[in-house]
């Protein structure tokens, strides 16, 4: 199997199950024009996030890593009218663009973009007694995935769901000697989740237009 085929299959799936959407397309176009890295979730992955949030009946969502707000829009669309999504972004340029994309999508009343290091912002959320969140999506720098998971758990309740993206790294997660900080961060994440008795978790490998990677799904059980 090749990247070309993976991308073609993703396109086939999207053509059948993810109809064209002006707000989402505009968000991607604006991100590309602004020079943001094309590391957003794919359209079919974005819809999966929305469906997971809907199945969860999420009223409150936390997103760690906003980029241009593409996944934020998908997740916010799953919320009821009185729902709330807080998304954390380190880069001012990304946060500004995300706010514009979210406003264009008509979701600003549901979404708050907070600017700063997630490891600074997450303790603030805890101090403000924001939450608990019904669903958390972790998609930021992979070096700190274990720390993000720890905070997501603190900001959850029994029954909350924590989704973490990019946990396979093209298979490099198998290499304990990898020099890549992102790979070592993902390995620490697995070790942290495996040692946590308060969650039930699994991970799935994926291939598609974004290459070979995967995501994990954890449910807070106690």
């Amino acid at each position: 199997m090749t990247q070309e085929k993976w991308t073609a299959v993703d396109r086939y799936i999207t053509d059948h199950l993810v109809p064209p959407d002006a707000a989402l397309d505009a968000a991607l176009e604006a991100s590309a024009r602004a020079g943001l890295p094309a590391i957003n979730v794919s359209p079919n992955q974005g819809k999966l996030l929305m469906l997971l949030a809907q199945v969860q009946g999420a009223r409150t969502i936390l997103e760690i890593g906003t980029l241009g707000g593409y996944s934020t829009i998908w997740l916010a669309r799953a919320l009821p009218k009185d729902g709330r999504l807080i998304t954390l972004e380190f880069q001012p340029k990304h946060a500004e663009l995300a706010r514009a994309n979210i406003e264009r999508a008509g979701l600003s009343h549901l979404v708050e973009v907070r600017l700063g290091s997630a490891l600074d912002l997450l303790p603030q959320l805890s101090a403000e007694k924001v939450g608990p969140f019904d669903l958390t999506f972790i998609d930021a720098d992979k070096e700190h995935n274990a720390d993000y998971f720890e905070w997501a758990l603190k900001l959850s309740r029994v029954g909350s769901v924590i989704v973490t993206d990019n946990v396979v790294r093209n298979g490099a997660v198998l290499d304990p000697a990898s020099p890549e900080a992102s790979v070592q961060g993902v390995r620490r994440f697995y070790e942290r989740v495996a040692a946590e008795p308060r969650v039930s978790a699994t991970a799935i490998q994926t291939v598609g237009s974004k290459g070979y990677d995967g995501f994990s799904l954890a449910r807070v059980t106690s």
Side-chain angles (χ1 to χ4, degrees):
M1 296 291 284
T2 64
Q3 180 62 58
E4 182 179 38
K5 179 158 285 189
W6 295 343
T7 300
V9 172
D10 255 9
R11 189 178 303 116
Y12 177 84
I13 292 169
T14 299
D15 287 348
H16 282 79
L17 302 179
V18 189
D21 185 288
L24 289 165
D25 292 345
L28 291 179
E29 291 166 6
S31 296
R33 285 196 306 271
L36 270 64
I39 55 175
N40 49 274
V41 299
S42 64
N44 46 329
Q45 290 170 339
K47 190 167 185 180
L48 175 63
L49 287 173
M50 184 186 75
L51 291 171
L52 284 172
Q54 289 174 331
V55 169
Q56 172 69 353
R59 303 180 67 86
T60 54
I61 296 175
L62 172 63
E63 181 182 47
I64 303 174
T66 314
L67 195 63
Y70 183 75
S71 57
T72 317
I73 292 170
W74 276 113
L75 286 165
R77 286 180 170 177
L79 289 170
K81 292 181 180 179
D82 59 347
R84 184 183 190 190
L85 188 157
I86 295 178
T87 182
L88 313 180
E89 175 53 48
F90 179 70
Q91 296 289 347
K93 176 182 176 181
H94 298 178
E96 180 180 1
L97 180 65
R99 289 189 183 102
N101 287 335
I102 291 162
E103 182 176 4
R104 186 189 302 110
L107 296 166
S108 293
H109 63 294
L110 295 174
V111 178
E112 178 185 357
V113 180
R114 294 200 180 193
L115 177 63
S117 166
L119 293 180
D120 293 330
L121 297 174
L122 289 163
Q124 292 176 17
L125 291 177
S126 180
E128 294 170 19
K129 300 190 184 302
V130 177
F133 293 95
D134 302 318
L135 184 145
T136 297
F137 179 47
I138 300 173
D139 190 15
D141 61 298
K142 312 311 168 188
E143 296 92 324
H144 295 106
N145 266 5
D147 298 317
Y148 297 150
F149 173 78
E150 184 74 36
W151 277 106
L153 186 57
K154 290 178 182 178
L155 292 165
S156 293
R157 58 167 176 79
V158 172
S160 290
V161 169
I162 302 170
V163 181
T164 307
D165 202 9
N166 307 126
V167 298
V168 173
R169 312 302 297 170
N170 201 35
V173 70
L174 290 176
D175 183 5
S178 173
E180 295 184 28
S182 60
V183 173
Q184 293 300 332
V186 171
R187 288 177 62 86
R188 287 191 297 272
F189 164 79
Y190 275 108
E191 292 164 3
R192 178 66 189 85
V193 176
E196 178 51 67
R198 292 172 292 172
V199 303
S200 178
T202 191
I204 298 294
Q205 300 180 79
T206 60
V207 295
S209 60
K210 299 297 178 178
Y212 170 36
D213 215 315
F215 66 92
S216 74
L217 179 69
R219 183 175 184 270
V220 182
T221 57
S222 62

